[in-house]
Amino acid sequence: MAELPTVETTTTTPEATRALAAIEAAKLLADRDVTECLDAIGDLIRITGAPEAVFTWVRRLFGRENLRQYAAQQHLKLHESRASDEEQSPRAVIIWTAEGDGLAILPPKQDPATSLLQLREEIARRQEDAQRAADFQATVKAGHVEDVNTWHARTNQAAK
């Protein structure tokens, strides 16, 4: 919680008042667990007096959890890169094993939502490559003989 500012007494800035009112309105439509979560967020806003910082912290917290769950679903281990700034890739990189598991190397301090998006893109690209390979192997079994690049160019041309 060191990321959040704290104040000596509770504050009622206009931003905090609006945020607390929005939380109270959202609680009317929420179940008990979500209401408890919203109450905790409201308490943090009252303590810090900084709703924007609290919402940013909560969004990152939920983003990290979404990232963790997606990685587990895809059999990926997450690792934050320790490369120097000049060697650092701005994107998440996945190293796949032959068994289908992988190691995702994430840029340090990258927003979890950005990392999640990049992982989804990498996995979609891998699935497209796997499908293209399977399609090519099917044409080879059917007796067609050509290299992958020629086959891919021929099969992906727009209809004229």
Side-chain angles (χ1 to χ4, degrees), residues 11-131:
T11 61
T12 54
T13 64
E15 295 84 15
T17 302
R18 279 194 298 276
L20 292 170
I23 287 172
E24 290 302 318
K27 285 171 41 179
L28 297 173
L29 304 173
D31 65 17
R32 188 176 58 83
D33 292 336
V34 174
T35 299
E36 288 178 14
C37 181
L38 291 172
D39 282 338
I41 293 169
D43 291 343
L44 285 172
I45 291 171
R46 283 183 201 86
I47 292 167
T48 64
E52 191 62 36
V54 171
F55 290 140
T56 299
W57 179 78
V58 169
R59 186 183 62 78
R60 288 184 67 85
L61 183 69
F62 284 139
R64 280 193 296 267
E65 181 60 21
N66 286 341
L67 177 62
R68 186 193 66 74
Q69 286 180 2
Y70 184 73
Q73 198 176 51
Q74 299 297 323
H75 307 286
L76 295 173
K77 291 181 182 174
L78 298 176
H79 177 74
E80 189 172 290
S81 175
R82 290 178 277 178
S84 64
D85 287 342
E86 55 273 352
E87 296 174 339
Q88 183 59 56
S89 169
R91 295 190 50 84
V93 176
I94 301 176
I95 301 169
W96 295 101
T97 66
E99 293 81 29
D101 296 342
L103 172 66
I105 302 172
L106 310 174
K109 297 182 177 86
Q110 184 175 45
D111 182 53
T114 302
S115 296
L116 180 59
L117 178 65
Q118 290 174 355
L119 289 183
R120 288 179 192 266
E121 289 171 353
E122 288 295 319
I123 289 168
R125 192 171 306 130
R126 182 172 192 252
Q127 290 170 341
E128 288 172 8
D129 288 346
Q131 184 61 51

